[in-house]
Amino acid sequence: MKNAMSQTIKILPESLANKIAAGEVIQRPASAVKELIENAIDAQAKSVAVIIEDGGKSLIQVVDDGTGMSIDDALIAFQRHATSKIATYDDLENITTLGFRGEALASISAVAQIEMITRIASSDTAVRVSNHSSSLIDYTACAGPVGTSVVAKNLFYNTPGRKNFLKSTPTEFKHVIDAVQRMAIAYPEIAWKFISNGETIFNLHPAPMAERLTDIFGERLTSSLLPIEQENELVRLRGFLSRPDFSRKTRTEQFLFLNRRYILNRSIAYAVVQGYENLLLRGTFPVFVLFLEINPRRIDINVHPTKMEVKFDDERSIYRVVAASVRKVLSASNLIPEFPEDKKVQDRSGATDMVPSVPFTKFPGQYVLNQDLSATVISRPEIPGHTDAGGSVVPLTDRPVELAKPDQMSQPGEIIADAGYTIQLFNKYILSIVEDGFYLIDQHAAHERVLYERAVDKITTRKPETQELLFPQTVQMSASDAALVKELLPLMQSLGFSLKFFSSSTIIIDGVPLDVKPGKERTILQDIIDAFKEDEHGIPLEPYERLAKSFACKAAIKSGDSLKGSEIHALIRQLFSCKIPFSCPHGRPVAIKYPLSDLDRRFGRSS
Ligand code: ADP
Ligand code: MG
């Protein structure tokens, strides 16, 4: 029953309301650091210093040389919803500053002891504003440079519940350094200083982006980065990606910025990974620093108080652009790892905005981007009287000239001159000597890559090549495997299989793809299905890619298979006409190069 005399709903006093609201914006020292830095950048600072003690728990100070604030502004700035950055709804739809919610200073001052000193260029004196005595804001005039310094002490001193929630000093320090680092990456034109417990953690001068990344991540990582740049009417994309062989065990070196604001977005991060297709080993992640620029009217950054989440008008399109651009950069780069791995230190004197791209390496049969085999035939002397490989279908070779077998190579020098001298090692690797060094190629991985691209091509263009079997094979499978075959049947057919279902678990194979080696017709189907199922836990690929991958793996020559000279040459030629000859579809490397210059260096020869 309603008691007319008692009113149970009350409006909270502002100081309490601010403490509650603060919890959303300021979760830990790093969030206060981030907000204060955003204010400095919005105030057009050219240099920003961040000073913390005890991981920011006892002290945070951010000093900038930006515009500063007038006395009036300095006083009002601490009120909730006080902002100079937006005024109307239309402004909210078109945000071009990092801040706009007018909450940060109010939130920080609700949970910490604040002292701000600020001065605008048109004033002779600075003003000092603090909330020390009470929750009220005091101010006095003082001396100080143009710009703003905000000190926040003893974060959460008045909200013990939140204070207990803070982690150890090293953990909080790590969060702060991450926050500062992201800003330093997004704003390389700003000088950054970061001091923790009196120790200078970094001191970065304004620099082009590539140099800033080197300053932060070191030469080794940045020399592995490939520049990416792409633009359409929806989005401008630029940044850097790691070569696949530099991928990491964690995602911590993945940076995504939208309109220069660090954001978290799994879908776009995932689009990048998709762009690597199967260049990445399972469980490894690429390093990337990616800047997206999108018209602010087409995004909503006001999803969460920390402004790290975004909603896009058209996320699918952005996803597609990102994945396609990444794919393009990778397929246009030479990704063969060189040995030894530690890269020569790059000459920084000519450093530009871009990390220098990896020099193109010459390879027998030269690396080309299209799959037209005829365009990539290795020029090499015809050896008369060569014998055909014989037998029926030899899918590996496109019936090339039979090169001399190793034991016939009395004068390898002649052959090196034109085509490169190849030799199979341990029935596993192929050694290929070229003008400026030699390559070691993993025969299985190489053939897998060749068959994979061929299979993808057949499936997508629906141009199967089938070898009809003289004696159709009847195979028994589990009902669930057979059901999977049925599900994949259209793809299987475009790959070159000709199958009939006799019962729910009996399949008749009338024909197999041309790339299936004689003798494997009976087992290949079950092998593919097993591989297909195993692959389920990898990065999700389209079913046709998974099928192509499973097929390639099972139909490829194995480690341990002995190869004829003609097969070796055909394999190398086919490999280097692949789109992505650097890794097998599972992400393992296909080839490693040992440059001659490196041997020379190791043997102390100057050239
Ligand atoms: P917001 O950044 O969302 O506007 P804040 O609470 O962070 O809200 O800051 C309130 C206002 O105080 C800003 O809009 C800006 O006018 C002013 N301000 C805050 N920090 C600075 C600074 N470092 N330099 C100049 N002005 C500042
Ligand atoms: Mg702000």
Side-chain angles (χ1 to χ4, degrees):
M1 205 201 257
K2 195 177 161 217
N3 180 343
M5 294 303 291
S6 82
Q7 186 186 8
T8 52
I9 299 180
K10 297 186 195 74
I11 303 290
L12 293 176
E14 186 171 314
S15 65
L16 184 52
N18 279 346
K19 275 184 199 157
I20 293 170
E24 287 190 59
V25 189
I26 308 300
Q27 289 142 351
R28 55 180 1 134
S31 8
V33 170
K34 166 182 173 283
E35 292 292 337
L36 295 174
I37 293 176
E38 288 189 352
N39 284 346
I41 294 173
D42 283 344
Q44 268 106 50
K46 300 252 176 319
S47 87
V48 178
V50 178
I51 298 145
I52 62 167
E53 257 155 48
D54 307 316
K57 291 195 267 191
S58 55
L59 177 123
I60 293 167
Q61 180 174 19
V62 174
V63 185
D64 70 56
D65 60 355
T67 56
M69 280 170 270
S70 67
I71 295 186
D72 293 341
D73 280 347
L75 290 174
I76 202 176
F78 288 91
Q79 286 184 26
R80 198 130 62 96
H81 311 308
T83 179
S84 57
K85 298 168 195 175
I86 61 172
T88 65
Y89 181 74
D90 189 64
D91 296 341
L92 182 61
E93 294 275 280
N94 190 26
I95 288 163
T96 55
T97 49
L98 294 169
F100 58 89
R101 295 173 56 102
E103 286 182 321
L105 290 183
S107 297
I108 297 170
S109 66
V111 293
Q113 292 154 340
I114 291 278
E115 183 172 284
M116 178 172 88
I117 297 175
T118 186
R119 187 186 134 198
I120 49 176
S122 58
S123 163
D124 295 339
T125 54
V127 55
R128 175 192 285 118
V129 177
S130 74
N131 65 351
H132 283 196
S133 47
S134 62
S135 62
L136 289 177
I137 298 284
D138 290 340
Y139 77 99
T140 51
C142 67
V146 173
T148 303
S149 151
V150 179
V151 175
K153 282 190 191 154
N154 303 320
L155 194 66
F156 302 136
Y157 74 100
N158 55 358
T159 52
R162 295 205 70 85
K163 190 173 179 141
N164 289 337
F165 201 69
L166 289 177
K167 298 285 191 306
S168 67
T169 295
T171 303
E172 296 302 338
F173 168 75
K174 173 82 177 75
H175 285 286
V176 173
I177 193 171
D178 285 348
V180 181
Q181 199 168 281
R182 288 166 190 157
M183 292 293 192
I185 294 171
Y187 290 88
E189 74 275 31
I190 293 179
W192 296 89
K193 201 177 258 183
F194 178 40
I195 297 167
S196 166
N197 289 345
E199 190 193 341
T200 301
I201 307 297
F202 52 67
N203 188 4
L204 303 169
H205 302 289
M209 175 58 71
E211 218 172 286
R212 173 59 54 90
L213 293 180
T214 305
D215 290 342
I216 291 178
F217 297 117
E219 191 78 46
R220 191 177 136 73
L221 176 61
T222 38
S223 67
S224 94
L225 295 180
L226 307 166
I228 179 169
E229 189 143 22
Q230 188 77 41
E231 188 168 357
N232 67 11
E233 63 296 336
L234 178 65
V235 54
R236 173 161 182 236
L237 190 84
R238 61 199 172 90
F240 297 91
L241 307 167
S242 60
R243 294 160 53 99
D245 50 319
F246 267 77
S247 54
R248 297 286 164 116
K249 289 275 187 303
T250 68
R251 293 189 179 84
T252 47
E253 277 145 346
Q254 300 190 340
F255 297 87
L256 191 58
F257 297 90
L258 172 61
N259 297 346
R260 299 184 97 184
R261 182 197 302 277
Y262 177 81
I263 60 161
L264 294 171
N265 186 295
R266 296 181 69 167
S267 154
I268 296 178
Y270 187 67
V272 177
V273 173
Q274 275 280 300
Y276 277 77
E277 287 182 339
N278 32 44
L279 289 171
L280 297 168
L281 271 180
R282 186 176 290 192
T284 67
F285 305 94
V287 177
F288 61 80
V289 178
L290 217 54
F291 295 90
L292 304 179
E293 275 163 47
I294 299 178
N295 183 334
R297 293 189 185 275
R298 308 192 70 160
I299 57 173
D300 182 4
I301 193 74
N302 196 16
V303 181
H304 188 268
T306 56
K307 300 169 288 186
M308 280 218 230
E309 276 170 56
V310 204
K311 283 207 182 99
F312 297 92
D313 264 9
D314 190 356
E315 185 158 300
R316 286 292 320 162
S317 302
I318 294 166
Y319 183 99
R320 275 197 297 271
V321 175
V322 171
S325 313
V326 170
R327 198 169 297 148
K328 197 171 129 197
V329 167
L330 293 172
S331 56
S333 310
N334 181 0
L335 301 178
I336 297 174
E338 286 196 351
F339 183 90
E341 255 184 41
D342 53 327
K343 289 259 171 301
K344 334 148 205 2
V345 172
Q346 261 147 14
D347 174 18
R348 294 260 306 277
S349 56
T352 60
D353 226 356
M354 293 290 167
V355 167
S357 59
V358 190
F360 230 64
T361 326
K362 240 180 93 202
F363 196 87
Q366 88 201 92
Y367 169 56
V368 290
L369 281 176
N370 65 52
Q371 274 185 294
D372 180 6
L373 287 180
S374 61
T376 63
V377 174
I378 308 170
S379 68
R380 95 169 86 83
E382 286 265 338
I383 295 176
H386 74 273
T387 49
D388 195 301
S392 52
V393 187
V394 186
L396 177 59
T397 65
D398 46 354
R399 300 187 188 278
V401 178
E402 172 94 300
L403 259 204
K405 295 191 175 73
D407 55 3
Q408 300 171 317
M409 289 196 170
S410 45
Q411 292 159 297
E414 283 172 25
I415 293 160
I416 295 171
D418 276 320
Y421 172 54
T422 60
I423 183 172
Q424 190 184 23
L425 301 176
F426 316 114
N427 285 347
K428 243 193 257 186
Y429 302 109
I430 295 166
L431 172 70
S432 165
I433 303 169
V434 292
E435 222 170 280
D436 63 342
F438 59 86
Y439 289 81
L440 279 175
I441 296 165
D442 179 313
Q443 66 184 40
H444 172 68
H447 198 212
E448 232 183 331
R449 165 53 64 182
V450 170
L451 294 187
Y452 173 76
E453 294 200 1
R454 206 133 77 188
V456 166
D457 190 51
K458 283 188 187 137
I459 298 173
T460 50
T461 59
R462 296 203 180 73
K463 281 193 198 130
E465 282 184 290
T466 304
Q467 351 170 17
E468 301 291 335
L469 299 184
L470 220 48
F471 304 104
Q473 301 283 335
T474 305
V475 293
Q476 294 287 334
M477 299 183 106
S478 74
S480 98
D481 285 357
L484 183 55
V485 175
K486 204 168 220 164
E487 196 183 315
L488 297 173
L489 191 59
L491 298 177
M492 291 261 187
Q493 285 166 337
S494 18
L495 187 57
F497 279 100
S498 169
L499 305 173
K500 277 208 224 61
F501 286 80
F502 185 73
S503 74
S504 61
S505 59
T506 309
I507 298 174
I508 298 168
I509 308 177
D510 287 327
V512 294
L514 204 58
D515 283 327
V516 175
K517 271 211 198 133
K520 279 194 172 176
E521 302 88 348
R522 211 187 143 66
T523 47
I524 187 81
L525 192 62
Q526 184 69 53
D527 283 351
I528 292 175
I529 291 302
D530 290 344
F532 188 90
K533 289 189 297 187
E534 244 173 61
D535 197 39
E536 217 147 69
H537 312 292
I539 64 163
L541 297 170
E542 296 288 331
Y544 81 86
E545 292 173 307
R546 254 169 80 192
L547 177 63
K549 192 168 150 185
S550 309
F551 172 74
C553 178
K554 294 306 171 184
I557 49 174
K558 298 264 168 298
S559 162
D561 290 350
S562 158
L563 301 179
K564 288 200 280 280
S566 58
E567 291 175 313
I568 294 172
H569 276 269
L571 177 58
I572 292 178
R573 184 164 64 223
Q574 290 164 3
L575 174 66
F576 283 90
S577 60
C578 280
K579 285 190 191 131
I580 304 180
F582 326 106
S583 77
C584 81
H586 299 97
R588 282 191 296 273
V590 165
I592 298 171
K593 181 171 186 187
Y594 293 70
L596 179 59
S597 56
D598 228 276
L599 293 179
D600 288 344
R601 197 171 48 76
R602 296 188 149 224
F603 284 105
R605 295 184 172 277
S606 49
S607 62

